[in-house]
Amino acid sequence: EGSGTEVSEPDPSDDEAIEKASGNRTATCQDSDSKPAVKKKRKQPTECFLSRPEEKQENTVKAKRRKKKKISDVLQKSAPKPGVPEDLQNLLTQHFGENRSVIELEELQLSDSCFLPANDLTHSFSSYLKEICPKWAKLRKTHKEKKSVVMLVLCSSALRSLELIKSMTAFKGDCRVLKLFAKHIKIKEQMNMLEKGVFHIGIGTPGRVKALVEQDALCLNSTKYVILDWNWRDQKLRRMMDIPEIKKETIDLLEKSIIKLCRDGSVKLGLF
């Protein structure tokens, strides 16, 4: 009736606006709620991927450096142990063990009678030679053969060879010593000297000695003593058998020439 208030019907466009507004609010809420989670997920793998492998690499580098230091520290602090015949025998077995048959390994075995008394680290070179060669004066006088030596000394370098020559003055007397290393000396010069002269002692490196033997410039049939400079260490605390090249050449020389002579009884081995 005329005095009553009119009730307006709801406009459908208003409902759509309200739904859109509420929809926008929920979308913004969802976006705001979901965005931090996405960021966290992105940060976690990047942090794990970038930081952790770098730490592992640094740790491995540090560990490697420490290992190198420990090796030298152990060599410096360890009390020196004199070499014994068993050490040489074990070295030959380890070197040939995988590639040789049982019969071949037996042919490389050396009995205790093949060895001279080993240096107990109390000797000078001269005093050691006097102990193992009490009849040196007689051997020196009777030796007349060319292309050979009565005593062969093997060491790791030319410099060490010169040191040993100086340190054996009291032993060698007036006998002739031949330098058998490659530094500053051509192999042809050494071959000429061996062919023309008589030498009692040869001191040098296994590589040059092996080359002279292979070229028939040096014959070991008249050799009575082979001395290995076993215990001496260089500035890097390496013995001659710790240097791969020297070790290989020494073992080759032993296998091809010296071991057979030792087994026949004509040569004695000494570890200085």
Side-chain angles (χ1 to χ4, degrees):
E1 296 177 358
S3 61
T5 59
E6 294 181 358
V7 178
S8 61
E9 293 181 0
D11 189 357
S13 63
D14 293 339
D15 292 339
E16 290 176 0
I18 291 167
E19 287 178 1
K20 286 181 181 179
S22 62
N24 291 335
R25 286 194 199 99
T26 54
T28 53
C29 291
Q30 287 176 357
D31 292 341
S32 62
D33 292 340
S34 62
K35 280 179 183 177
V38 172
K39 286 182 181 178
K40 286 180 182 177
K41 286 180 182 177
R42 285 177 184 172
K43 284 182 180 179
Q44 283 178 353
T46 52
E47 286 177 1
C48 294
F49 180 76
L50 292 174
S51 62
R52 289 180 184 175
E54 286 180 359
E55 288 176 1
K56 287 181 181 178
Q57 288 177 357
E58 289 178 2
N59 291 335
T60 53
V61 171
K62 287 180 181 178
K64 286 180 181 177
R65 288 176 183 172
R66 284 173 188 169
K67 281 181 182 178
K68 288 181 181 179
K69 290 180 181 178
K70 283 180 181 178
I71 291 170
S72 61
D73 290 340
V74 167
L75 286 172
Q76 286 177 345
K77 293 177 182 178
S78 61
K81 295 180 181 179
V84 293
E86 187 180 358
D87 295 335
L88 177 59
Q89 201 67 66
N90 291 337
L91 187 72
L92 294 171
T93 303
Q94 290 172 6
H95 184 78
F96 294 115
E98 297 179 356
N99 303 319
R100 301 300 172 91
S101 65
V102 176
I103 296 173
E104 288 174 328
L105 287 175
E106 286 179 357
E107 292 176 354
L108 296 172
Q109 292 290 321
L110 294 170
S111 64
D112 292 340
S113 61
C114 296
F115 289 91
L116 297 161
N119 178 25
D120 58 1
L121 303 183
T122 61
H123 284 284
S124 66
F125 194 40
S126 283
S127 66
Y128 175 70
L129 295 179
K130 285 179 180 178
E131 180 179 310
I132 63 172
C133 309
K135 299 180 180 179
W136 176 250
K138 184 179 179 180
L139 288 171
R140 181 187 65 190
K141 289 178 182 178
T142 55
H143 178 65
K144 304 293 183 184
E145 296 181 26
K146 298 178 181 178
K147 300 174 69 172
S148 66
V149 292
V150 180
M151 179 183 293
L152 179 63
V153 182
L154 300 175
C155 57
S156 59
S157 67
L159 184 61
R160 178 59 178 164
S161 299
L162 296 175
E163 290 176 1
L164 289 173
I165 291 171
K166 290 179 182 178
S167 64
M168 68 186 301
T169 304
F171 169 79
K172 69 183 181 69
D174 60 353
C175 68
R176 300 187 69 189
V177 179
L178 181 61
K179 301 169 186 174
L180 299 176
F181 49 79
K183 192 172 185 179
H184 304 310
I185 305 175
K186 294 179 180 179
I187 192 169
K188 288 184 179 180
E189 295 178 16
Q190 292 165 333
M191 292 171 70
N192 290 333
M193 294 176 74
L194 284 164
E195 189 174 354
K196 295 177 181 179
V198 176
F199 292 89
H200 305 91
I201 301 173
I203 300 184
T205 53
R208 177 51 61 89
V209 171
K210 187 180 74 168
L212 290 166
V213 171
E214 289 174 347
Q215 296 185 41
D216 295 325
L218 176 63
C219 179
L220 300 180
N221 290 336
S222 299
T223 303
K224 302 297 181 187
Y225 305 100
V226 174
I227 312 298
L228 302 180
D229 187 28
W230 188 271
N231 298 297
W232 182 80
R233 294 181 185 271
D234 63 10
Q235 291 181 348
K236 296 181 181 179
L237 301 176
R238 300 174 303 177
R239 297 169 301 177
M240 65 180 295
M241 292 303 189
D242 296 327
I243 304 170
E245 184 181 358
I246 300 298
K247 174 184 172 182
K248 182 182 181 303
E249 291 170 343
T250 303
I251 291 176
D252 288 347
L253 182 60
L254 288 169
E255 181 194 10
K256 292 177 181 178
S257 305
I258 297 173
I259 288 178
K260 185 179 183 303
L261 295 171
C262 291
R263 288 171 65 90
D264 292 342
S266 61
V267 170
K268 299 285 186 181
L269 268 173
L271 305 181
F272 174 64

